Amino acid sequence: MLEARDALLAWYDRHARVLPWRSAPGERPDPYRVWLSEIMLQQTTVQAVKGFFETFVARWPDVAALAAASEQEVLSQWAGLGYYSRARNLHRAAREVAARGGEFPRTPEDLAELPGIGPYTAAAIAAIAFDHPVVPLDGNIERVAARCFAVHAPLPGSKPLLRDKAQAFAGADRPGCVAQALMDLGATICTPKSPACALCPLEEGCAGFKAGIAASLPAKTAKQARPTRRGVAFVAIRADGALLVRTRPAKGLLGGMSEVPGSEWSEAFDASKARAHAPLSANWVKTAGVVRHVFTHFALELVVYRASVPRGTPDLPGMRWVAPGDMHREAFPTVFRKVLAQVPEKLLDFSGKSLRKSK
DNA sequence: TATCCGTGGGG
DNA sequence: TCCCCAAGGAT
């Protein structure tokens, strides 16, 4: 396996991807940037993360700066990236690290005590930022290991086995490079479909390639179907341009994010009674289209109503009127950007271009 | 062990 | 259109 490790590193030295959070060769990585990137990259593509990462480090260059921000500011910047518990845990972890003088823990065990850091992220930060001789197990390395060692057992049950197999690449020399090399290999060569085995530095020792089954691995257990939930959302526009907005419960789906009022989302939603869910009495006008959005475990179809209401409209419990100039501070997740995009632009005073870029 | 938790791109 | 899946974690 020593030869395979050396071949992997030689390949990495020639083909490593250039990414905003990576340090130049020979330079010590900044644990803050490593941590931030690893959190953002959880279940998220490199392409999607790049812009968010740049925005975050420009606004919050170190962990102390991030700790000094409010959770609302962090959620607002995170809006659009998904899995919002990551942002809440990121903020909590920043405050914990800042409270210890800004020094990150250096071992997987200690790192994993921070919120939002699990087995993978702990191992990745320890290896990349602190040269800890461990191989983190992400989706890429699961795939590389399953193929290299021809593991037929299906995920996720085979995860512990694959983690053990992957440690064959562990070693004291350049552990961070090995981790990133395996991930780059999985992302560019050992891809889920049509792997480019002819270009792979591990081809010689790959049991899956030798058996001609590399592309079929790793096996996965079947996943269940995704139901459709339906509901209604209401966009109330006050005469001064303010919009009626509320904050979702702190935990759960889109926890802590902004939304416009509406119904619960359920498979049994009765569209004929949609108006009964309105937050206030007004001349509600049904908008033309239906907002469709897909979450991890259900699809959503939202009917949208809009109304113009007079300047003197009173406050409602648990809701607030947001002035046009403050809309950019709101942490609207993508589904509610789609909802707002249903309202004719001439009715909205805020410069909604950035809010309305979504489909 | 299984479920919940977003989003966007590619085949 | 649909399905897959991407540097997973919390409960």
Side-chain angles (χ1 to χ4, degrees):
Chain A
M1 187 47 68
L2 259 188
E3 293 172 15
R5 194 175 192 276
D6 291 343
L8 177 70
L9 282 171
W11 174 85
Y12 183 70
D13 288 336
R14 290 177 54 191
H15 300 290
R17 289 178 291 177
V18 177
L19 300 171
W21 44 87
R22 284 187 176 170
S23 60
E27 283 194 17
R28 184 58 51 189
D30 177 357
Y32 170 70
R33 294 167 66 94
V34 173
W35 164 67
L36 177 60
S37 68
E38 289 299 341
I39 300 299
M40 287 185 166
L41 286 161
Q42 288 168 1
Q43 294 293 285
T44 309
T45 57
V46 164
Q47 189 53 39
V49 165
K50 280 182 179 172
F52 283 87
F53 179 83
E54 301 280 19
T55 301
F56 265 68
V57 295
R59 180 162 177 179
W60 300 300
D62 52 44
V63 69
L66 185 57
S70 72
E71 184 186 272
Q72 270 315 300
E73 290 176 302
V74 175
L75 281 177
S76 175
Q77 286 298 315
W78 197 278
L81 195 54
Y83 285 137
Y84 298 100
S85 66
R86 292 185 297 172
R88 303 194 301 272
N89 286 330
L90 181 86
H91 184 246
R92 285 204 300 152
R95 297 202 160 174
E96 289 188 24
V97 172
R100 328 167 9 143
E103 290 289 315
F104 279 85
R106 304 174 72 89
T107 67
E109 299 74 35
D110 292 340
L111 282 161
E113 293 191 9
L114 290 171
I117 298 185
Y120 161 75
T121 305
I125 296 173
I128 297 169
F130 300 117
D131 290 324
H132 196 88
V134 64
V135 178
L137 190 73
D138 76 319
N140 288 306
I141 303 180
E142 281 176 357
R143 187 168 56 254
V144 171
R147 289 170 175 173
C148 272
F149 303 101
V151 174
H152 289 77
L155 284 167
S158 59
K159 200 165 188 162
L161 174 61
L162 291 174
R163 183 176 287 115
D164 286 345
K165 297 285 190 188
Q167 300 311 311
F169 291 97
D173 177 48
R174 303 177 67 192
C177 290
V178 168
Q180 295 177 92
L182 287 168
M183 290 188 266
D184 278 16
L185 190 69
T188 64
I189 303 288
C190 195
T191 50
K193 304 166 189 171
S194 311
C197 297
L199 303 178
C200 181
L202 304 181
E203 183 188 335
E204 269 185 54
C206 181
F209 174 75
K210 202 162 296 180
I213 57 171
S216 69
L217 296 176
K220 300 195 174 182
T221 56
K223 50 191 66 171
Q224 61 183 51
R226 181 153 46 200
T228 297
R229 299 181 188 173
R230 295 177 176 82
V232 57
F234 296 91
V235 180
I237 308 163
R238 209 168 58 180
D240 61 354
L243 252 61
L244 188 59
V245 172
R246 66 188 181 189
T247 299
R248 294 177 60 87
K251 293 182 174 181
L253 184 72
L254 308 177
M257 303 294 284
S258 302
E259 67 175 2
V260 296
S263 68
E264 297 295 299
W265 303 339
S266 92
E267 297 177 52
F269 179 73
D270 184 351
S272 69
K273 296 187 173 65
R275 278 188 172 81
H277 299 276
L280 51 78
S281 178
N283 181 27
W284 291 107
V285 178
K286 189 177 177 181
T287 61
V290 172
V291 168
R292 300 178 198 283
H293 193 74
V294 179
F295 293 95
T296 309
H297 54 292
F298 67 93
L300 178 65
E301 291 180 9
L302 231 38
V303 179
V304 180
Y305 287 77
R306 65 173 173 83
S308 298
V309 302
R311 192 175 302 265
T313 302
D315 288 342
L316 288 94
M319 304 183 200
R320 58 184 185 277
W321 292 97
V322 176
D326 291 331
M327 285 297 285
H328 69 284
R329 297 184 203 285
E330 292 295 326
F332 283 115
T334 297
V335 63
F336 287 105
R337 295 175 191 229
K338 293 181 182 177
V339 167
L340 293 175
Q342 286 295 302
V343 178
E345 192 159 358
K346 60 183 190 323
L347 298 179
L348 298 176
D349 272 350
F350 59 94
S351 59
K353 292 298 185 190
S354 61
L355 277 181
R356 300 156 70 79
K357 64 180 179 237
S358 305
K359 303 190 276 294

